[in-house]
Amino acid sequence: KAGVTQTPRYLIKTRGQQVTLSCSPISGHRSVSWYQQTPGQGLQFLFEYFSETQRNKGNFPGRFSGRQFSNSRSEMNVSTLELGDSALYLCASSQGQKNTEAFFGQGTRLTVV
Amino acid sequence: GNSVTQMEGPVTLSEEAFLTINCTYTATGYPSLFWYVQYPGEGLQLLLKATKADDKGSNKGFEATYRKETTSFHLEKGSVQVSDSAVYFCALSDRSGDSSYKLIFGSGTRLLVRP
C-alpha cells in the first residue's frame, strides 16, 4: 500500500507570495489533517478534512486555508506569506475515527525569504 | 484544554543502555495515546499506540503503558541502538465536535545514542 505523498518536498517563496501544498492520502483513507512544525512552536494542528468537508480547524489566521477533493487528495494554501510561515508542513492520513492511527507524509519544507 | 508534556532533551545514551522518555498528559475523557518518531529530514512515523487504560503498546522493542491513575505514557526500551537516534513525540487524540479528532503533541525529546 502506498504511503502518504506530499509534494513538493521543498519550496522557497518570497514574502507576500502565496503557496499551495499537496497531499495524497493512503488509499481508502478519507481524513486528511495538516500540521505545521517549527522549532519554536513544535507541532501544531492546522485543519482536518473528511469527505471534502473541513471538520476541524486550529488556531491559525485566515491566510491558511485548505480543501479536499472527491478522491481524498488535499491541498493547503497560504496567502500573503510571512517569514514566520517558514516551517515543515506535514500531512496526516487516517480513517478519521478515534482509535485509528494517523500516518504522516514526509512533509513539505517551506522557506519564506 | 488537553495537553502533553514530555521530558526535555536531548537524552544521550550509550548503545545497549536502557531508555525511558517520560510523557504525561492532561485530558478530559479517555483519549488514545501515541508515540511517534521523527528521523532527520523525515516526517513522523507511528511507533506505538494505546487506546485505553492499562493497554500496553509495543513495537520494535519499544513499549509504553497507558496509566490513567498517573496520566502517563512513558516510552521505554531495554537496549537502545545507534539507529534509534531520532526525535520522539508523545501525542494524544483530542476530540472536537461530534466526530473529528486531532493530535496534540508534546514538544519532542531528542535521543542520541553513541556507539
Side-chain angles (χ1 to χ4, degrees):
Chain A
K1 213 180 209 183
V4 180
T5 304
Q6 289 188 248
T7 57
R9 287 292 308 277
Y10 303 93
L11 268 177
I12 300 176
K13 290 287 188 178
T14 305
R15 268 183 306 177
Q17 286 187 313
Q18 73 165 17
V19 68
T20 299
L21 313 182
S22 180
C23 172
S24 293
I26 291 170
S27 177
H29 285 186
R30 293 162 66 190
S31 170
V32 174
S33 298
W34 289 88
Y35 292 82
Q36 181 195 64
Q37 185 177 25
T38 59
Q41 299 298 316
L43 281 152
Q44 294 187 288
F45 171 78
L46 280 156
F47 28 65
E48 186 224 1
Y49 286 87
F50 185 87
S51 294
E52 301 179 65
T53 301
Q54 186 181 88
R55 283 202 305 195
N56 201 355
K57 189 177 191 307
N59 188 26
F60 279 82
R63 300 185 297 106
F64 291 81
S65 62
R67 58 179 176 168
Q68 187 180 33
F69 302 95
S70 58
N71 62 358
S72 293
R73 191 176 71 84
S74 176
E75 289 181 346
M76 68 164 280
N77 184 78
V78 188
S79 62
T80 320
L81 284 165
E82 300 176 1
L83 295 179
D85 297 333
S86 295
L88 180 66
Y89 290 88
L90 292 164
C91 165
S93 153
S94 78
Q95 293 177 350
Q97 294 148 10
K98 177 186 176 183
N99 295 332
T100 60
E101 51 265 41
F103 296 90
F104 284 80
Q106 290 187 296
T108 294
R109 171 75 63 187
L110 172 64
T111 302
V112 182
V113 298
Chain B
N2 295 348
S3 64
V4 176
T5 303
Q6 281 182 245
M7 62 188 289
E8 290 282 331
V11 173
T12 303
L13 296 173
S14 297
E15 207 166 22
E16 298 184 4
F18 184 85
L19 168 71
T20 299
I21 299 178
N22 290 337
C23 170
T24 57
Y25 66 91
T26 301
T28 52
Y30 302 99
S32 294
L33 301 174
F34 306 87
W35 276 100
Y36 282 87
V37 58
Q38 185 175 37
Y39 297 100
E42 300 292 319
L44 300 176
Q45 295 178 27
L46 178 66
L47 186 56
L48 53 84
K49 73 172 188 179
T51 59
K52 60 184 187 298
D54 300 325
D55 262 4
K56 178 187 278 188
S58 61
N59 185 28
K60 299 180 182 179
F62 291 91
E63 291 183 341
T65 302
Y66 192 139
R67 300 281 188 206
K68 182 164 132 339
E69 63 277 10
T70 55
T71 61
S72 65
F73 192 55
H74 304 321
L75 182 67
E76 296 182 335
K77 186 176 186 185
S79 175
V80 294
Q81 306 300 312
V82 171
S83 57
D84 293 328
S85 297
V87 181
Y88 292 80
F89 292 92
C90 183
L92 64 80
S93 65
D94 184 61
R95 181 171 178 167
S96 173
D98 290 335
S99 55
S100 178
Y101 294 90
K102 67 181 182 189
L103 290 170
I104 294 177
F105 289 90
S107 56
T109 302
R110 182 175 300 277
L111 170 66
L112 176 61
V113 181
R114 295 185 168 153

